[in-house]
Amino acid sequence: MFTPVIDCLILFALISPLIGTVARGKGIGKVLGVFSSIGFLASLYLLYDLYKDLRLAKNGILVYWSPLTPLSGSCLKVDMLSIYVSAIFILVGLMASIFSIRYMEHDTGHSLYYSLLLAMVAGMVGVTFSGDFFTLFLFWELMCLTSYVLVAFRKEFWEPVEAGFKYLIMSSAGSALILFSIALLYGMTGSVNLSLIARVFAQSGADSSIKVWTYLIFGLLLTGFGIKASIVPLHTWLPDAHPAAPTPISAMLSGVVIKTGVFAMIRIFFTILHPAPLDWGIIVTISAIFAALTMTVGNVMALLQNDIKRLLAFSSIAQIGYILLAISVGFVGGIYGLYGLTSGLLHVLNHAIMKALLFLTAGAIIHATGTRSLTELTGIGHRMHATAVILTVGALAISGIPPFNGFISELAILLATINAGLMIFAVIMLANILIGFSYYLRLLYILVWQAPKEGLENVKEAPLSMLLPMGILAFLCILIGVWPHPFIYLASKAAEAAMNTVAYVSAI
């Protein structure tokens, strides 16, 4: 109906309740987690098939026309940017699914949980494959609705319900702004197809009235997608939602859900608005200012946290600031813009891996101890040796310490920013990297280096089904750090696809 990847995810999401009913009757609840993981593995394989087809496609774009054709030009388009980002979404979804087998075993509603997880990833993949605003908004809402429920999944506690409601209100406001901007675009161009809209803007010339409306649309879309991406000051839902959600969902939210907002900005700003004759120098400056504000607020707030999951949540906001700075460099255009966007997309991959790893590690600790307080977890690494080693890898990676993956992409963003002439923002980012290193060093000092606190004597190591996804993600942190070339190549191809508006417009 859509594409094999999306169809696979939706099919597994629909079948999960039936499997859950049978498994519950047989007393084998863990089967559902295995079934969900098989669904993610199958979708990864189908995505690889799409990648092979894409390499043979004209202009590097595959077009799938939807059976529904609302307004004009409803379609699914798959390019290297879609493949790259979708692979990240599905990979983190797979790790979260495996981790959930033991982590969620005592929660009720297993079948609903895994159905929502699969459907949420299907929505995110659908956003990356969308060739028009109608399709994009449908998949966007699928992702949003499922994520609201997953945040508040443990409804017997007040914290998740409150956090889920706050997330719902703010995200819905963002969706309303996106919908309003879509209405404006349709009124201006007569289409919701991204390629057709881009063609109209490219041919608009210096029409002052078009410029005014384009600036307004840019602001609306930046705000709408910025809420999901947690750009300061639109970030206030995230520090509540991420700690309150079940830890595998926290890993999804910080690792990939906020990246859906980042993807949407890249796709729409570079496909639709970048061909428009706007003053991109002003846009670069404004975007870079928001990036500096986002990374600074995120890092400073993380310094003040005693809750391990809130610390990681604020760290995610800071990392979004780094990615937004790379996108700002991308607006410069030319070779410097391509380098900037490549570095940002590489950090999208690296941050998804690092933050999913850190949240899953925190989840393993919380599962073993029942607390999120750092003061109560002093020296827990002495009781959970494997988890402590993995936590150390994740903390050093996200701090930008070589030879881990975070160093590669953070250095690339710094160099891209300097090459684009944005020296002051490079200095701000460097200062923020040092702040980030300080609180992750504090985290390791409390959890790993200090002597264990009394009351932790009976704590046991995390089960194998939790250690496995954590180990895979830690391995990727090391692999990308010591052998970055294939990943930089993929990120560069994704960046080229994002900036190649001519090819995207011609593939109608």
Side-chain angles (χ1 to χ4, degrees):
M1 181 178 178
F2 297 108
T3 65
V5 179
I6 300 174
D7 294 345
C8 176
L9 290 167
I10 292 176
L11 179 63
F12 273 81
L14 294 175
I15 295 176
S16 285
L18 177 61
I19 299 295
T21 301
V22 175
R24 187 166 55 251
K26 300 287 186 180
I28 46 175
K30 295 183 179 67
V31 168
L32 194 55
V34 175
F35 177 76
S36 170
S37 302
I38 292 172
F40 283 115
L41 281 171
S43 61
L44 267 180
Y45 175 78
L46 293 171
L47 186 69
Y48 177 68
D49 272 351
L50 272 184
Y51 170 70
K52 290 191 295 184
D53 293 340
L54 183 66
R55 295 179 65 179
L56 302 175
K58 180 183 178 181
N59 293 329
I61 297 174
L62 296 172
V63 180
Y64 294 83
W65 291 93
S66 171
L68 301 175
T69 55
L71 304 179
S72 62
S74 176
C75 66
L76 297 170
K77 283 187 177 181
V78 181
D79 62 2
M80 192 59 207
L81 178 63
S82 308
I83 296 289
Y84 178 82
V85 178
S86 295
I88 298 171
F89 293 167
I90 297 172
L91 173 65
V92 177
L94 172 62
M95 298 298 105
S97 178
I98 297 172
F99 188 89
S100 298
I101 293 173
R102 285 294 302 274
Y103 189 86
M104 300 296 294
E105 65 181 341
H106 299 301
D107 288 78
T108 57
H110 280 69
S111 57
L112 176 62
Y113 171 83
Y114 288 106
S115 290
L116 291 169
L117 178 60
L118 286 157
M120 182 173 71
V121 177
M124 291 189 288
V125 173
V127 169
T128 69
F129 285 4
S130 297
D132 67 285
F133 273 113
F134 179 85
T135 309
L136 186 148
F137 193 76
L138 285 179
F139 281 114
W140 181 269
E141 286 304 298
L142 174 62
M143 173 196 68
C144 289
L145 291 171
T146 49
S147 63
Y148 302 151
V149 180
L150 285 168
V151 167
F153 188 77
R154 289 172 170 166
K155 56 187 181 298
E156 63 272 17
F157 302 107
W158 175 246
E159 183 188 17
V161 174
E162 181 184 18
F165 187 70
K166 185 175 183 179
Y167 176 32
L168 167 66
I169 296 298
M170 291 197 65
S171 187
S172 297
S175 295
L177 292 174
I178 294 168
L179 193 60
F180 183 46
S181 66
I182 294 172
L184 291 175
L185 285 167
Y186 181 70
M188 293 171 65
T189 64
S191 176
V192 293
N193 186 278
L194 301 183
S195 301
L196 294 175
I197 294 172
R199 182 175 294 171
V200 172
F201 277 116
Q203 297 170 352
S204 62
D207 190 326
S208 59
S209 62
I210 292 288
K211 276 191 175 183
V212 171
W213 286 107
T214 305
Y215 282 123
L216 174 61
I217 290 167
F218 181 91
L220 289 172
L221 290 173
L222 180 63
T223 304
F225 291 127
I227 291 175
K228 182 64 69 178
S230 299
I231 297 172
V232 172
L234 309 170
H235 68 289
T236 52
W237 64 272
L238 186 149
D240 294 331
H242 289 208
T247 295
I249 304 308
S250 300
M252 292 295 297
L253 290 171
S254 274
V256 292
V257 170
I258 59 176
K259 305 302 187 341
T260 314
V262 171
F263 167 85
M265 287 190 286
I266 292 173
R267 172 65 83 204
I268 292 170
F269 292 161
F270 286 94
T271 299
I272 294 181
L273 298 182
H274 210 265
L278 302 177
D279 188 342
W280 285 99
I282 294 176
I283 292 176
V284 167
T285 303
I286 293 174
S287 179
I289 289 171
F290 275 110
L293 183 63
T294 300
M295 65 179 73
T296 303
V297 170
N299 278 322
V300 170
M301 290 302 296
L303 271 172
L304 308 175
Q305 302 307 311
N306 185 55
D307 184 322
I308 185 172
K309 290 181 75 175
R310 281 185 74 85
L311 184 152
L312 296 176
F314 277 112
S315 172
S316 292
I317 296 171
Q319 298 290 322
I320 287 294
Y322 302 159
I323 295 170
L324 182 59
L325 181 58
I327 294 174
S328 304
V329 175
F331 290 145
V332 172
I335 188 65
Y336 294 141
L338 179 62
Y339 184 31
L341 192 55
T342 297
S343 65
L345 286 170
L346 181 63
H347 200 60
V348 166
L349 168 64
N350 285 338
H351 178 252
I353 293 170
M354 297 182 297
K355 191 49 61 69
L357 168 60
L358 287 167
F359 264 111
L360 294 184
T361 306
I365 294 172
I366 295 166
H367 184 265
T369 62
T371 181
R372 304 194 317 236
S373 172
L374 289 177
T375 55
E376 296 179 16
L377 293 171
T378 301
I380 188 65
H382 292 268
R383 308 298 181 204
M384 304 175 70
H385 297 99
T387 301
V389 172
I390 294 171
L391 172 66
T392 302
V393 170
L396 294 178
I398 204 167
S399 299
I401 304 300
F404 302 105
N405 59 339
F407 170 76
I408 302 297
S409 51
E410 289 175 11
L411 177 63
I413 294 173
L414 278 171
L415 293 176
T417 306
I418 293 170
N419 289 334
L422 303 174
M423 183 63 70
I424 186 171
F425 295 104
V427 172
I428 293 172
M429 180 178 172
L430 183 59
N432 272 277
I433 291 174
L434 294 175
I435 296 172
F437 177 63
S438 68
Y439 62 74
Y440 276 111
L441 195 63
R442 168 178 169 262
L443 180 71
L444 291 178
Y445 175 73
I446 294 173
L447 299 183
V448 179
W449 295 339
Q450 283 192 312
K453 187 176 181 179
E454 292 184 8
L456 299 177
E457 295 83 4
N458 298 324
V459 173
K460 297 180 180 179
E461 182 58 85
L464 181 60
S465 61
M466 292 185 185
L467 290 174
L468 177 61
M470 290 158 52
I472 292 172
L473 293 171
F475 171 75
L476 288 174
C477 288
I478 299 170
L479 176 65
I480 298 174
V482 299
W483 190 40
H485 304 292
F487 304 94
I488 295 174
Y489 171 79
L490 293 173
S492 67
K493 290 300 179 183
E496 289 174 6
M499 300 185 78
N500 191 5
T501 306
V502 175
Y504 201 87
V505 170
S506 65
I508 301 178

